[in-house]
Amino acid sequence: MPPSAAAEAPGPAGPPTPLTVELIPVLRDNYVFVLHDGRRAAVVDPAEAEPVRRWLEERGLELEAVLHTHHHADHIGGTPGLLHRWPGARVVAARADRERIPFQTEGVVGGDQVDVLGQQLEVLEVPAHTRAHIAYHLPGELFCGDTLFAGGCGRLFEGTAAQMHAALKRFAALPGSTRVWCAHEYTAPNLRWAARQRPGDVAVAQRLAAVQERRREGRPTIPSTIAEERATNLFMRAADAAELADLRESRNHWSG
Ligand code: ZN
Ligand code: FE
């Protein structure tokens, strides 16, 4: 029988397989994010190697890339261990952090497009939590590290309130349905603080109740969405850098 022409001809390229995004809880309150197509995977901010290696191996996934948002140990600590297991994996990080993330193989700057499993991720420069912090965006998904948190924002270790305000405005301009994959489970304390700051705010109170219910069930509150953050995140709602600075100061000293 002649071979089928249809079977022989290379098919049209077609759209890339949509990626699945999942999270792995590690350490006390960190999340590592996995993007995969069922066969190949990329991870964002692996705080630890072992739980990530196990998670990938249990699902038969091959690690192709590690993406970093910033240099803190709870975001890069697992990378050397993962490279030991998958020596061919690419390591994407801010070029400006090449000394603090020395195992990077692809230094990126704002506006770069990073190909991850056939999808293009845009690099956003969002200095504030650290001076070289970056975020990754693809349609519908935002990996924002320690810049935006659900109901909060990162501490200003190396940047200014003005920089954080600019970063949050930039995120706020993304479509409301964009999922926010932030790197820590701080949502309940953030919203308890927010509810104390804005006692009459119904949207904040309702979100706090929903988040506390999720936590009682032992479930992550991540991802949130840009629409939820616009509505209930006091830092994202801040009119200007001065208001954000006041909120940051208040949140730093709050231990409720
Ligand atoms: Zn950090
Ligand atoms: Fe962190």
Side-chain angles (χ1 to χ4, degrees):
M1 261 183 49
S4 144
E8 293 282 295
T17 317
L19 298 180
T20 302
V21 185
E22 296 190 68
L23 55 78
I24 309 173
V26 299
L27 302 177
R28 205 163 73 120
D29 51 36
N30 277 81
Y31 291 123
V32 179
F33 305 113
V34 185
L35 296 79
H36 69 87
D37 62 8
R39 202 165 53 83
R40 303 168 302 159
V43 300
V44 183
D45 285 356
E48 289 188 297
E50 273 313 289
V52 177
R53 181 191 61 75
R54 261 200 316 277
W55 196 98
L56 295 173
E57 286 182 348
E58 280 165 12
R59 290 158 182 80
L61 295 166
E62 284 297 321
L63 183 67
E64 290 214 343
V66 179
L67 278 63
H68 289 125
T69 63
H70 66 294
H71 73 286
H72 286 156
D74 63 314
H75 298 255
I76 69 171
T79 303
L82 291 173
L83 290 174
H84 186 74
R85 167 66 181 77
W86 287 283
R90 303 150 57 203
V91 182
V92 180
R95 190 175 304 162
D97 256 344
R98 62 186 169 278
E99 269 141 46
R100 304 194 294 191
I101 309 179
F103 33 77
Q104 63 175 264
T105 62
E106 278 178 49
V108 295
V109 298
D112 281 356
Q113 300 279 334
V114 182
D115 185 297
V116 174
L117 310 178
Q119 307 268 349
Q120 300 302 310
L121 273 62
E122 183 192 7
V123 176
L124 307 177
E125 261 172 31
V126 284
H129 177 68
T130 69
R131 60 181 147 78
H133 198 300
I134 56 176
Y136 300 91
H137 172 244
L138 75 162
E141 320 285 355
L142 174 68
F143 301 94
C144 51
D146 288 358
T147 300
L148 169 63
F149 289 126
C153 76
R155 285 173 185 261
L156 300 172
F157 288 125
E158 299 178 346
T160 64
Q163 287 176 316
M164 182 61 83
H165 184 251
L168 298 186
K169 285 289 157 227
R170 191 147 178 213
F171 294 160
L174 296 171
S177 58
T178 305
R179 297 194 292 180
V180 176
W181 301 93
C182 57
H184 291 273
E185 181 61 65
Y186 293 158
T187 318
N190 281 341
L191 289 169
R192 281 200 301 275
W193 164 81
R196 184 70 63 89
Q197 294 293 306
R198 301 284 187 274
D201 194 310
V202 175
V204 169
Q206 284 176 343
R207 188 177 180 195
L208 172 60
V211 156
Q212 286 177 325
E213 177 64 24
R214 272 187 92 82
R215 294 309 289 154
R216 271 194 297 275
E217 294 164 358
R219 296 156 65 204
T221 64
I222 307 305
S224 69
T225 65
I226 288 292
E228 284 180 284
E229 299 312 322
R230 278 189 214 135
T232 57
N233 185 313
L234 302 192
F235 297 96
M236 191 173 263
R237 280 166 33 176
D240 51 32
E243 185 187 349
L244 189 145
D246 287 347
L247 291 168
R248 192 58 264 170
E249 192 66 17
S250 158
R251 180 67 182 85
N252 286 352
H253 295 108
W254 185 82
S255 55

